Amino acid sequence: MFVLLSIFMTLPVLLLAGGHAPNADAFAESAAIVFTLGLVGMIATYRKPRDLKPRFMFVLTVSSWFIIALLSALPFYLSDHGISAADAFFEGTSGITTTGATVFSGLDAMDRDLLLWRSILQWIGGVGIIGMFVAVLPFLRVGGMRLFATESSEWTDKALPRMKTLSRGLLLVYVAFSVIAVVTYWLSGMTLFDAFNHGLTSIATGGFSTSDMSMGKFNDVILMEATLFMIIGSLPFFLFVRELHGQHGVLFRDQQVRLFLMILFLVPLLLTLYRWLVSPVPFDPVHNYAATLFNVTSVVTTTGYASEDYSAWGPLAFVLFFFLMFVGGCSGSTAGGMKIFRFQLSLIILREQLMRLLHPRAVLTRNYNGRSVSDEIISSMIAYTFIFLLCLLLITVALAAMQLDFITALSGALTSLTNVGPGLGDIIGPAGNFGPLPDGAKWVLSVGMLMGRLEILSVVIVLSPAFWRS
């Protein structure tokens, strides 16, 4: 992984070979450091047996994301802009976790090589997230993919060929959608540089942009294209692979996909009607629906783009966007959040409990997507929800202890754990950034982003004393 990361570190300079790469030395030094670490590791473990026990995989998964986030910050830290360690780590973590929160301002005039590195980081993070959710977390019995792709949760000799086929298919689909996004943006009027950056960050549902105005710099046609690509990035990629292998219709038969698309249809429609009713000025329903659909999709898919300051749309919009931060995309996608399936399972449990109150002797079945849902899955979901809310409380309290106001502390904690990007309020809202926050808050939020990306339980398990005693 380190060797691959070092190769990616050379891309910003190579892609700008005909242009200006003022931080070429920083990227060269960073690539050399990371490559050396990777080479030393490969030599040290040459021909040693690889035992894929869950204990080792937990440590590998958690440590690799934390260390790669740290190494990803090197080009920022070693550049000539005097970026602090806290800012560099925050930006690198936000990139590799596809969160999209940023400490930088003046993006329109920022060095192009650094802008490219931010986008490339999110693209790497997107494909890494898909691989982790489809192959690693099911093996560790963490996350929701055990409900959707049980064939990928085994690492036996029999399952490995299927996993290799699935991995190749996932990479092919991810690259294909990325290329389509870049070309579409370019043909719609973006410069090639802007199209390349936004194409990478749209499919990765990352949200990094090349402008302080984010997507507000572009027209409604591009906003609708971006909405489509964000939705694609938030759908289960393994279902795209199954569609390619002839299983036509599996994508839209999936329960989480149907609810996800329903939310993205109904919420923007209702919010547009609300804005129309309370608007004191002449209202353009077409333009405002496009803006509402775009910004709602950006928050629900945890992408983090913004076309305008949606926190200024009124109290209902402010509250609605706060709760939309919880939702997230589908399991097996690049999106963060709590994921659609957990809300659906909660409704199934609620219905089951109500039926038991009405019919105590009834024998009830618990099915989701045509499969039986075991008690283990339900227990895992309840444990995740509890630890999520507990972490939200602890991070909010920690930020408040650093003298941040309630809205900034709460929305900052939430946006880090759900990997949304911008928070709410005047400081970290869609019109601001995380730069003004104290360094301590940036370190806390960086850890929160990594925990959210790793489904929290993976980190908690590794940090528990029982994990190291047994």
Side-chain angles (χ1 to χ4, degrees):
M1 287 188 286
F2 290 177
V3 171
L4 284 174
L5 183 64
S6 69
I7 294 172
F8 277 108
M9 282 180 172
T10 65
L11 288 183
V13 178
L14 294 176
L15 292 172
L16 294 172
H20 186 49
N23 301 287
D25 290 344
F27 281 102
E29 292 169 7
S30 302
I33 293 170
V34 177
F35 180 82
T36 302
L37 289 174
L39 188 62
V40 169
M42 291 170 67
I43 293 172
T45 58
Y46 181 65
R47 286 190 175 177
K48 288 190 176 180
R50 270 74 168 179
D51 193 350
L52 296 175
K53 291 182 179 178
R55 177 184 305 277
F56 302 141
M57 287 301 298
F58 270 116
V59 175
L60 174 63
T61 302
V62 173
S63 62
S64 63
W65 277 85
F66 274 82
I67 296 172
I68 286 176
L70 185 64
L71 297 177
S72 299
L74 284 175
F76 300 119
Y77 184 68
L78 297 176
S79 69
D80 297 328
H81 296 280
I83 300 172
S84 68
D87 284 353
F89 183 66
F90 183 95
E91 199 75 10
T93 303
S94 181
I96 204 69
T97 59
T98 72
T99 301
T102 184
V103 294
F104 295 148
S105 57
L107 296 176
D108 300 83
M110 192 173 181
D111 294 340
R112 288 193 160 197
D113 49 4
L114 292 181
L115 290 174
L116 273 173
W117 179 235
R118 295 164 80 242
S119 302
I120 290 170
L121 268 182
Q122 292 203 323
W123 191 85
I124 297 170
V127 73
I129 289 158
I130 295 170
M132 180 183 71
F133 273 92
V134 171
V136 179
L137 292 187
F139 172 71
L140 300 179
R141 310 181 73 79
V142 174
M145 280 305 299
R146 286 152 43 190
L147 280 169
F148 309 106
T150 54
E151 69 273 5
S152 66
S153 62
E154 301 176 11
W155 282 34
T156 62
D157 292 338
K158 183 179 178 181
L160 282 175
R162 291 201 302 268
M163 197 189 328
K164 290 177 180 177
T165 302
L166 178 63
S167 300
R168 285 195 296 267
L170 291 172
L171 184 59
L172 174 64
V173 170
Y174 189 74
V175 171
F177 278 133
S178 301
V179 172
I180 292 171
V182 171
V183 173
T184 302
Y185 285 147
W186 186 33
L187 294 177
S188 299
M190 280 190 183
T191 65
L192 183 57
F193 179 78
D194 284 342
F196 184 80
N197 282 274
H198 289 93
L200 298 189
T201 59
S202 295
I203 295 300
T205 60
F208 274 157
S209 181
T210 57
S211 171
D212 287 336
M213 296 173 65
S214 188
M215 278 291 193
K217 179 181 178 180
F218 307 106
N219 58 44
D220 287 349
V221 173
I222 291 178
L223 292 187
M224 290 299 94
E225 293 168 351
T227 301
L228 174 61
F229 291 128
M230 288 188 289
I231 291 173
I232 289 173
S234 300
L235 297 178
F237 273 73
F238 70 94
L239 291 182
F240 289 125
V241 176
R242 289 174 63 182
E243 291 276 359
L244 286 177
H245 282 81
Q247 300 181 39
H248 302 305
V250 293
L251 181 65
F252 295 105
R253 287 198 299 268
D254 189 273
Q255 285 185 230
Q256 59 170 345
V257 172
R258 292 203 298 267
L259 179 59
F260 174 70
L261 295 178
M262 187 183 300
I263 291 172
L264 294 183
F265 172 76
L266 291 177
V267 174
L269 184 62
L270 295 174
L271 192 52
T272 303
L273 291 174
Y274 165 77
R275 294 179 64 197
W276 192 0
L277 292 174
V278 301
S279 176
V281 297
F283 191 83
D284 180 355
V286 176
H287 168 75
N288 283 280
Y289 177 75
T292 305
L293 176 62
F294 171 82
N295 286 286
V296 167
T297 302
S298 179
V299 171
V300 172
T301 62
T302 70
T303 304
Y305 287 141
S307 63
E308 54 188 275
D309 186 2
Y310 47 76
S311 62
W313 288 354
L316 176 63
F318 189 91
V319 172
L320 194 57
F321 274 104
F322 173 78
F323 286 106
L324 287 175
M325 288 182 181
F326 283 92
V327 179
C330 301
S331 189
S333 71
T334 62
M338 295 187 71
K339 302 292 189 306
I340 293 291
F341 81 94
R342 288 194 173 95
F343 294 94
Q344 292 175 309
L345 288 183
S346 297
L347 289 174
I348 290 173
I349 296 171
L350 175 61
R351 176 182 172 276
E352 181 180 308
Q353 293 304 309
L354 292 176
M355 291 299 293
R356 288 191 185 281
L357 291 174
L358 293 171
H359 308 285
R361 297 178 181 273
V363 178
L364 303 175
T365 58
R366 190 189 297 143
N367 293 315
Y368 181 80
N369 263 346
R371 295 183 181 181
S372 176
V373 180
S374 66
D375 290 336
E376 182 189 3
I377 296 289
I378 298 299
S379 300
S380 176
M381 184 204 69
I382 294 172
Y384 170 84
T385 303
F386 174 76
I387 201 68
F388 177 91
L389 295 175
L390 180 60
C391 288
L392 179 64
L393 170 65
L394 294 176
I395 294 176
T396 302
V397 170
L399 295 177
M402 300 177 197
Q403 305 304 306
L404 298 182
D405 63 271
F406 175 72
I407 293 297
T408 301
L410 179 59
S411 68
L414 178 58
T415 196
S416 67
L417 286 172
T418 56
N419 304 114
V420 171
L424 296 172
D426 296 331
I427 302 174
I428 62 172
N433 62 63
F434 289 72
L437 300 186
D439 284 354
K442 294 170 186 174
W443 287 108
V444 169
L445 289 172
S446 297
V447 173
M449 287 187 273
L450 286 162
M451 292 185 69
R453 192 76 276 180
L454 291 166
E455 292 278 287
I456 303 179
L457 285 172
S458 304
V459 181
V460 172
I461 290 170
V462 172
L463 295 178
S464 64
F467 176 84
W468 299 99
R469 285 199 303 265
S470 59

